[in-house]
Amino acid sequence: MYIAHFSPTGGTRRAAEIIGRALDPQATEIDLSTPKSVVTPLDLSHDEVLLAAVPVYGGRVPAIALERLKRITGHDTPAIPVVVYGNRDYDDALLELKTALEANGFRPVAGVACIAEHSIMRVYATGRPDEADEHLLRQFAARIADKLDAVKNGAVPAPIEVKGNPQYKPYNGVPLKPHASRACNRCGTCAALCPVGAIPLDDPSKTDTSKCISCMRCIAVCPQQARKVSKLKVALSIRMLKKACESRKEPELFI
């Protein structure tokens, strides 16, 4: 089994590993959020399984995650699309991911939507996936394992149906772009790990906002805690999304 995840700040990876390691403790991990040159092509047979996990940005799958997933091809290979969101909504993202996997030779046998701490507005879904999430996701994994066993024994499952509108909602990014503070010592960690190369290697105190996808990885990995976003803009965003985000959402399984 393979666990492929695009997880700039770690929440998506945590959720993916709870499910994936419950299914196969020896699963091979593929980090899709590494710089582009590191993600190598992979061709999976009918007898293998792919769990593909991505975060939700504005109700959609990050375009760079879909681009890198295209390098993993299947041959009617069972797949488990997993989307992880910050407690607002996942909108069309699960359908988008499922459709992309099907186009690349995979046969989705289950779909999961789960919650992780919001990567920008960390007051929402703080500490998630938490113990309750882990318990529920392990229950999901047990049901998925039963279905995978049936498929392995020759069963032909009906296509799964997931939430989402095939006319995907538009996503044009968010105006919250990290910048370097005076604490930046130009160590280059953020530049080396930026998924889209938005931070120049020769001057990591800068940010190319035209490339930045606001994934917040640079903030998460900076050893000096020198990368920031506007506190005012974050506060305004928290207030704007309060009604949609303040009540706890629960993981969902489609099988």
Side-chain angles (χ1 to χ4, degrees):
M1 179 175 178
Y2 290 83
I3 302 172
H5 54 74
F6 184 84
S7 184
T9 58
T12 296
R13 178 183 180 182
R14 284 178 57 204
E17 289 197 329
I18 291 170
I19 304 167
R21 300 295 176 190
L23 291 169
D24 180 4
Q26 304 303 317
T28 299
E29 185 176 334
I30 303 170
D31 186 357
L32 299 173
S33 52
T34 56
K36 186 174 182 180
S37 62
V38 179
V39 184
T40 55
L42 179 66
D43 192 49
L44 301 184
S45 72
H46 171 77
D47 296 326
E48 295 175 291
V49 179
L50 173 68
L51 185 151
V54 300
V56 177
Y57 292 174
R60 298 286 302 278
V61 179
I64 188 67
L66 290 178
E67 179 183 322
R68 291 177 183 173
L69 272 171
K70 288 180 181 179
R71 303 183 189 187
I72 307 175
T73 53
H75 298 274
D76 204 29
T77 307
I80 306 155
V82 176
V83 297
V84 182
Y85 66 105
N87 206 56
R88 184 193 65 81
D89 202 328
Y90 58 95
D91 297 301
D92 304 328
L94 186 55
L95 177 62
E96 185 178 17
L97 179 58
K98 169 183 172 286
T99 302
L101 289 171
E102 289 171 335
N104 223 31
F106 291 94
R107 176 159 42 105
V109 296
V112 182
C114 45
I115 300 88
E117 184 172 306
H118 200 287
S119 60
I120 301 175
M121 293 166 281
R122 308 194 78 89
V123 297
Y124 295 130
T126 304
R128 298 185 71 182
D130 56 21
E131 187 175 342
D133 292 319
E134 183 168 354
H135 177 72
L136 191 54
L137 292 176
R138 289 185 180 278
Q139 288 184 330
F140 288 177
R143 293 180 61 189
I144 295 170
D146 288 341
K147 188 168 185 180
L148 287 171
D149 285 343
V151 171
K152 186 176 181 179
N153 291 326
V156 180
I160 63 168
E161 298 291 334
V162 303
K163 169 189 165 180
N165 186 334
Q167 302 298 320
Y168 305 140
K169 64 181 297 185
Y171 176 66
N172 299 310
V174 296
L176 293 161
K177 307 293 184 183
H179 62 274
S181 70
R182 292 180 181 178
C184 176
N185 65 1
R186 294 172 172 78
C187 71
T189 301
C190 59
L193 295 176
C194 176
V196 294
I199 303 171
L201 286 167
D202 60 350
D203 189 359
S205 66
K206 305 295 184 182
T207 304
D208 184 341
T209 56
S210 67
K211 292 182 179 179
C212 176
I213 59 172
S214 304
C215 72
M216 304 298 145
R217 178 170 242 193
C218 60
I219 292 177
V221 303
C222 178
Q224 304 298 321
Q225 297 184 330
R227 283 254 154 190
K228 311 287 183 183
V229 288
S230 166
K231 291 183 179 180
L232 176 59
K233 289 182 179 180
V234 171
L236 291 173
S237 298
I238 289 172
R239 181 181 301 178
M240 183 175 66
L241 293 177
K242 180 177 174 61
K243 183 176 181 180
C245 292
E246 63 181 347
S247 62
R248 181 184 174 98
K249 310 296 193 307
E250 298 296 340
E252 297 178 39
L253 172 67
F254 300 85
I255 194 168

